[in-house]
Amino acid sequence: MLRMGGMRGYRMDEVAKHTSAGDAWAVFGGKVYNLTPYLPYHPGGAGIVVKAAGTDCTALFNKHHPWVNFEGLAGVRLFLFLGGESRRAGGR
């Protein structure tokens, strides 16, 4: 974990450790998300989301879902920005 200005942040090497159906993190738009709660709801199945876990999935997501608001997905939780500022998506 990085500590910058008193805020905690995650590096990609930390995100890359979370690649299972029970612990799936990914980066989208420079923010670290826990995708685990969303897995049962993904219309294409959990497997494809797990394959993207541990990576920056921004380009992949936008390629297949350009009409979807990623931050508005049910169950997706924002942890921290890469390298810094702590915040939750949508005030959650």
Side-chain angles (χ1 to χ4, degrees), residues 4-89:
M4 298 177 66
M7 300 290 207
R8 294 179 354 162
Y10 291 95
R11 298 183 341 183
M12 280 303 301
D13 60 339
E14 176 64 23
V15 174
K17 296 176 185 176
H18 302 271
T19 60
S20 72
D23 183 32
W25 294 11
V27 173
F28 183 84
K31 302 171 189 173
V32 180
Y33 290 87
N34 177 5
L35 304 178
T36 312
Y38 180 70
L39 295 178
Y41 304 102
H42 186 257
I48 193 70
V49 178
V50 173
K51 284 183 183 179
T55 70
D56 183 330
C57 69
T58 307
L60 179 65
F61 183 88
N62 287 335
K63 177 181 176 183
H64 295 285
H65 307 90
W67 63 91
V68 177
N69 175 359
F70 185 89
E71 290 185 350
L73 292 173
V76 174
R77 299 288 185 260
L78 172 62
F79 284 145
L80 299 165
F81 289 96
L82 279 179
E85 183 183 351
S86 174
R87 190 170 78 176
R88 295 191 66 106

